[in-house]
Amino acid sequence: MDKHLVSEGMFGFDTWPWQHWAAMAPNAKAIDSEMALTWGELTALVDGQQARLGEAPIVVLDSALSQRALIVGMLAAWQAGKKTLVLNQALSDEVQATVLSQLGVYQFLPDRSREPDVNVLPTMSHWQPDRPLTLTLTSGSTGTPKVIAHAAHQHLASAAGLTQMLPFLGLADKMTALENRVDRWLLSLPLFHISGLAIVWRWLYKGAQLAIYPCRGESMASALTHVSHASLVPTQLYRVLPVLRQCLDTCTLSHVLLGGAAISSALTEQAEQQGISCWCGYGMTETASTVTLKRADGQDDVGTILPYRDLMVADDGEVIHRGETLALGVWQAGALHPIDASTGLASRDLASWCTDVQPPTLSIVGRKDNQFICGGENVQPEVIEAHLQQCAEIRQAMVVPIDDREFGARPLAIIQSRGHFNAQQLADYCRRLPAYQRPVAFLPWPSLSPEAGIKPSRALLTQWAQRQAID
């Protein structure tokens, strides 16, 4: 499909995407699970759920709902002209209360007090791809999370650009290129993260299949045997590869989008040997997920910029985002506070362009927020982490500052090791770094609760390390 035609035609839709696919291919499978749904059946469920909705302009969905219920609830709310927020129940009561107080009038789902009005057919809201539709919380690593508002347009632009580089086929391709394959993307990430929402919009954009299977812990390997695509963190891929190797003849997994932590070349090489293409990139909540992408190759850059995105590195190294995937704005006090699209979004990420290749690739140096001063020198923890990550025995490393009476702060490394943990060997390995970048201590990675999320919290690990140093 010509990308210019897709863009001009609002990415190919003149109605809600599930209605579009239900009209085009009602008997084609939309959701792959133990209780599969066709596009026609999904649309009927969405219509039924819509009858349960009240008058509130925002629907808050409990993240404890099943993924199937969340999907149907979200689509129904959008179809009714409402905005949705999937609320992470692992957040503290205080943070949840703060977030909810910013929304304005909302309805919570499940709402057991409201019975469906079976005598009234739901009124489908007119397809308006540029109005606020989804509310997503940022990670909140530096404080209370912000509520970021996107329209369907930004989500579709994100999906359209990514799938131009990462092959993901659906009904759209069957109608335009006589493709017979319809891919399945596993809904492996929570829908309160932008990376989880992005899976939904790639599915809707392509008219592909959304795979819903239990995928926490040991269930992940089994779930991956049902799908062609998955979004994983490196630790998840590391754990499932030995299991998938036992079923190479039946495993259909062909593409993995990795994120959330540093990616070792040894891991991706092993996956590629098992026929799994590994991809990595860079993005953030405000940009509707991925902005740059590449095949994982062991190099520390994050690839080239995808279509429909616009990215600039300012003179001080900060990444400024613009383009069609940039969020509408921040939802605060019941109203949208728009982002100025002309000036863009200052991301707080520091980066540089690698111009030795064409098109240029982006290298992320670190976060402005993570930088600290050791004896008058600026320390960027991600630089030390990248050095440690080159050590084959290290699966994951995070460097945090600890208070120091002489230097103000000094780096401390928290290490997730593949084998025996040897602090002296790591100290020797780090002698290649400038003195102010050498970790003053190495601690083994602590056990994190399942509620800690898919991405290690630098703030929480810093607090934990500070307590260890004091003890």
Side-chain angles (χ1 to χ4, degrees):
M1 189 179 291
D2 185 283
K3 66 180 182 180
H4 300 295
L5 289 178
V6 170
S7 180
E8 289 169 5
M10 206 55 74
F11 301 102
F13 298 101
D14 56 12
T15 185
W16 297 99
W18 53 95
Q19 296 278 352
H20 172 90
W21 297 122
M24 299 292 286
N27 297 320
K29 187 188 291 185
I31 290 182
D32 182 63
S33 71
E34 292 178 356
M35 297 175 63
L37 290 173
T38 66
W39 287 103
E41 291 167 337
L42 173 64
T43 299
L45 275 179
V46 169
D47 289 346
Q49 179 67 59
Q50 191 181 332
R52 289 180 173 273
L53 300 176
E55 301 299 321
I58 296 175
V59 174
V60 177
L61 297 118
D62 185 339
S63 68
L65 286 168
S66 70
Q67 288 180 316
R68 177 180 168 130
L70 284 171
I71 291 294
V72 173
M74 280 198 310
L75 301 190
W78 298 342
Q79 186 172 281
K82 301 174 186 300
K83 295 169 278 294
T84 58
L85 170 74
V86 179
L87 187 62
N88 180 4
Q89 291 301 308
L91 293 174
S92 69
D93 292 344
E94 181 182 2
V95 172
Q96 288 191 34
T98 302
V99 168
L100 292 174
S101 70
Q102 293 295 315
L103 295 184
V105 180
Y106 65 87
Q107 175 188 359
F108 203 86
L109 281 184
D111 182 355
R112 300 185 187 283
S113 66
R114 185 177 178 83
E115 294 300 321
D117 191 343
V118 295
N119 295 318
V120 178
L121 289 175
T123 302
M124 187 167 64
S125 175
H126 182 61
W127 168 243
Q128 299 176 68
D130 289 321
R131 70 170 184 79
L133 196 69
T134 64
L135 304 176
T136 310
L137 301 185
T138 58
S139 62
S141 57
T142 57
T144 302
K146 290 183 292 186
V147 183
I148 305 300
H150 291 94
H153 180 93
Q154 284 90 51
H155 290 298
L156 288 172
S158 176
L162 182 130
T163 53
Q164 285 185 31
M165 184 180 289
L166 195 167
F168 182 55
L169 302 180
L171 296 174
D173 304 282
K174 288 173 73 76
M175 287 182 281
T176 58
L178 301 180
E179 283 279 356
N180 291 317
R181 197 179 87 198
V182 172
D183 289 327
R184 301 184 186 111
W185 203 304
L186 179 66
L187 188 54
S188 55
L189 299 177
L191 290 168
F192 49 78
H193 278 304
I194 195 67
S195 48
L197 266 182
I199 296 172
V200 172
W201 282 94
R202 290 170 204 143
W203 160 61
L204 292 174
Y205 171 64
K206 280 293 190 173
Q209 293 177 16
L210 185 66
I212 298 179
Y213 287 98
C215 53
R216 295 191 70 171
E218 294 180 355
S219 299
M220 176 62 83
S222 173
L224 290 173
T225 62
H226 294 282
V227 303
S228 56
H229 291 65
S231 301
L232 303 176
V233 296
T235 300
Q236 288 175 309
L237 181 61
Y238 173 83
R239 288 174 179 165
V240 300
L241 278 181
V243 182
L244 298 182
R245 196 181 305 125
Q246 304 303 316
C247 53
L248 281 179
D249 293 339
T250 56
C251 181
T252 56
L253 184 65
S254 57
H255 294 277
V256 168
L257 180 56
L258 293 167
I263 302 164
S264 78
S265 57
L267 174 66
T268 55
E269 287 170 7
Q270 186 181 349
E272 298 272 351
Q273 288 170 4
Q274 293 182 208
I276 302 169
S277 300
C278 294
W279 300 78
C280 60
Y282 157 74
M284 55 194 305
T285 302
E286 290 87 339
T287 59
S289 193
T290 314
V291 174
T292 65
L293 187 71
K294 71 168 188 173
R295 284 288 289 274
D297 57 4
Q299 302 300 310
D300 59 5
D301 67 278
V302 290
T304 56
I305 190 164
L306 290 166
Y308 312 117
R309 286 78 162 162
D310 186 13
L311 183 156
M312 182 186 79
V313 178
D315 291 343
D316 65 353
E318 185 168 9
V319 175
I320 310 296
H321 291 286
R322 298 194 188 93
E324 295 190 53
T325 68
L326 184 60
L328 295 173
V330 178
W331 193 266
Q332 193 172 28
L336 178 69
H337 297 256
I339 295 173
D340 186 338
S342 61
T343 56
L345 175 78
S347 66
R348 308 290 294 168
D349 289 326
L350 301 172
S352 62
W353 288 109
C354 306
T355 55
D356 294 341
V357 295
Q358 289 298 326
T361 60
L362 190 73
S363 284
I364 301 295
V365 176
R367 290 277 299 172
K368 268 187 170 182
D369 305 324
N370 295 338
Q371 197 177 78
F372 63 91
I373 297 175
C374 172
E377 299 281 357
N378 287 332
V379 176
Q380 195 69 49
E382 294 91 339
V383 172
I384 308 170
E385 291 162 9
H387 176 76
L388 287 165
Q389 208 70 47
Q390 293 173 18
C391 190
E393 290 300 311
I394 292 179
R395 187 182 303 164
Q396 191 167 196
M398 186 171 284
V399 173
V400 300
I402 58 165
D403 297 338
D404 186 274
R405 190 174 302 171
E406 182 178 2
F407 296 96
R410 298 188 73 180
L412 177 148
I414 304 168
I415 303 294
Q416 191 174 46
S417 174
R418 299 182 195 282
H420 176 64
F421 180 89
N422 189 314
Q424 185 56 52
Q425 287 182 359
L426 292 174
D428 292 341
Y429 179 72
C430 287
R431 291 190 187 284
R432 304 173 200 174
L433 296 170
Y436 65 92
Q437 290 183 347
R438 296 174 193 162
V440 68
F442 298 86
L443 296 178
W445 198 273
S447 297
L448 299 175
S449 67
E451 288 74 23
I454 59 172
K455 192 173 178 180
S457 166
R458 190 174 293 273
L460 289 177
L461 285 175
T462 300
Q463 294 170 10
W464 173 81
Q466 196 72 48
R467 289 197 299 271
Q468 308 306 306
I470 292 172
D471 295 343

